Amino acid sequence: MSEKILEVKNLQMHFFEGREGIVGGKKKYIYAIDGIDFEIGKGETLGLVGESGCGKSTVVRTVAQLYKPTGGTVLLDGKDLTKMTKAEMIAARKDMQLVFQDPYSSLDPRLTTMEIIAEPMRIYKKRGLLAMSEAEIQSRVEHLMELVGLSRFFKNRFPHEFSGGQRQRIGIARALALKPRLILADEPVSALDVSIQAQVLNLFNDIQKEMGLSYLFIAHDLAVIKYISDRIAVMYLGKIVEEGGYKDLYDKPLHPYTKALLSAVPIPDPNVERQRQRIILSGDVPSPDTQRPGCYFYDRCPNRMECCKMKQPKFVQPAGAAEGHKVACFLFNNEI
């Protein structure tokens, strides 16, 4: 891996849900993230994929410190975000910006495109963290609009005057305003038409090559993740169960959950589609309000063993697997 931009170690995010009973009962929590580790190198894209409700969006918000994590560390360029003061965190966010899922609700309808994209620069200028004149800010806004495929002559239009894809381009331009090194993209194409998705994904790739950006890219669409990512992490019920290069993970999936996910992806060749075997998982995703002593996938796993119920498998690289291809499963773990 190249120079590390982001290192996440044993990240946990537990939300207090209430107490059992009426008064003085045991505290109940939602274990949205329950101890995950990953790294992102300079100019690299890590795709994070999994079912709805597995904790993907919570990862983005916790890495950005919009949620204060219950435990673990988040290192941005070697600096621990979890231990920063408010002022230090504001300064650090200049290097880490978000692109949100919904291009409709993430833009202020009362502001023009110019005001939306310029807002981060004006805020940081007011705090003394950015030295730019108003003329330079407006010039940068016009440059960013052209960069994301919007005419600068649209700068005085309001969000409702744009299509969904154009609004997401405005959101991307806003995220680039402060020249960040890391973009946290929380399902940025899931609300767009398929044809528009391809355009926005190509835009992400072009911007990455031009600016040397790193991405943490969240999606539930496996085709999107494969197209955009250098490495992929598969998440299930608050834990990462498999991680590897996109080609290794798609060609030789190891974890039973990853295999089930990939078997659900439609193949455009009807002959291949008819011959392949779908993996249908039984049961539903368990509630995240309980921590389990064993593997979290135990109840739905077609390959479960007795040891899987008793303790959690370690995240290891099995013998014969490609470099960096790791899995948390006793099928590939000798420490049973």
Side-chain angles (χ1 to χ4, degrees), residues 235-307:
M235 196 167 181
Y236 182 81
L237 207 63
K239 287 187 174 292
I240 292 177
V241 297
E242 186 171 355
E243 181 184 334
Y246 79 93
K247 187 172 178 59
D248 300 321
L249 192 137
Y250 273 72
D251 292 347
K252 296 181 180 179
L254 302 176
H255 199 279
Y257 178 63
T258 308
K259 293 178 180 179
L261 283 180
L262 292 174
S263 78
V265 178
I267 297 175
D269 186 332
N271 295 322
V272 176
E273 182 68 24
R274 278 194 297 267
Q275 293 175 7
R276 73 170 181 154
Q277 186 176 0
R278 285 283 308 276
I279 301 174
I280 308 298
L281 298 176
S282 60
D284 298 318
V285 180
S287 173
D289 62 358
T290 304
Q291 286 182 308
R292 295 159 179 78
C295 177
Y296 280 28
F297 190 57
Y298 176 83
D299 293 333
R300 304 177 71 195
C301 183
N303 307 114
R304 60 178 177 256
M305 302 176 286
E306 188 61 30
C307 61

Side-chain angles (χ1 to χ4, degrees), residues 17-273:
E17 189 181 24
R19 292 181 179 270
E20 295 178 356
I22 299 175
V23 179
K26 182 181 177 182
K27 291 183 178 180
K28 296 177 64 179
Y29 292 91
I30 297 293
Y31 301 97
I33 309 174
D34 202 20
I36 65 171
D37 303 83
F38 62 85
E39 300 173 349
I40 302 178
K42 182 179 180 180
E44 182 185 45
T45 300
L46 175 66
L48 188 59
V49 67
E51 292 174 273
S52 295
C54 71
K56 303 186 300 297
S57 294
T58 305
V59 170
V60 167
R61 287 163 171 76
T62 307
V63 167
Q65 303 299 295
L66 300 180
Y67 297 150
K68 201 65 179 176
T70 307
T73 58
V74 179
L75 303 177
L76 181 65
D77 288 326
K79 300 175 183 177
D80 190 353
L81 303 182
T82 65
K83 296 180 180 178
M84 287 185 176
T85 63
K86 183 178 180 180
E88 290 172 335
M89 190 65 239
I90 290 172
R93 282 205 178 104
K94 185 174 180 291
D95 292 323
M96 177 180 61
Q97 293 290 299
L98 283 83
V99 177
F100 296 95
Q101 177 178 0
D102 189 352
Y104 296 90
S105 63
S106 62
L107 303 180
D108 191 331
R110 299 167 296 179
L111 302 181
T112 64
T113 303
M114 167 66 77
E115 292 169 327
I116 289 170
I117 301 174
E119 186 175 27
M121 293 181 280
R122 287 171 176 162
I123 289 173
Y124 274 72
K125 178 185 176 182
K126 187 176 180 180
R127 290 180 175 271
L129 299 171
L130 189 67
M132 292 181 73
S133 66
E134 184 60 30
E136 288 173 328
I137 289 175
Q138 294 192 26
S139 176
R140 177 151 178 79
V141 169
E142 293 180 355
H143 168 70
L144 288 170
M145 290 185 68
E146 298 284 357
L147 181 66
V148 300
L150 294 173
S151 171
R152 59 189 174 88
F153 298 109
F154 294 166
K155 63 184 180 182
N156 293 319
R157 291 188 180 185
F158 290 88
H160 72 269
E161 300 179 82
F162 293 95
S163 67
Q166 289 173 321
R167 292 186 198 192
Q168 195 59 290
R169 291 172 187 267
I170 295 171
I172 294 170
R174 176 179 60 186
L176 297 174
L178 296 172
K179 299 181 180 180
R181 303 182 67 199
L182 173 67
I183 295 291
L184 308 175
D186 184 12
E187 301 206 33
V189 298
S190 63
L192 307 178
D193 293 339
V194 175
S195 59
I196 305 302
Q197 285 185 8
Q199 295 175 18
V200 174
L201 290 174
N202 287 332
L203 175 62
F204 271 109
N205 280 333
D206 293 341
I207 291 172
Q208 184 176 46
K209 292 174 184 176
E210 182 171 332
M211 302 179 68
L213 293 171
S214 302
Y215 294 145
L216 173 58
F217 202 98
I218 309 298
H220 61 264
D221 187 325
L222 289 160
V224 168
I225 284 291
K226 183 179 181 181
Y227 182 77
I228 196 73
S229 304
D230 299 305
R231 292 186 300 115
I232 298 172
V234 180
M235 196 167 181
Y236 182 81
L237 207 63
K239 287 187 174 292
I240 292 177
V241 297
E242 186 171 355
E243 181 184 334
Y246 79 93
K247 187 172 178 59
D248 300 321
L249 192 137
Y250 273 72
D251 292 347
K252 296 181 180 179
L254 302 176
H255 199 279
Y257 178 63
T258 308
K259 293 178 180 179
L261 283 180
L262 292 174
S263 78
V265 178
I267 297 175
D269 186 332
N271 295 322
V272 176
E273 182 68 24

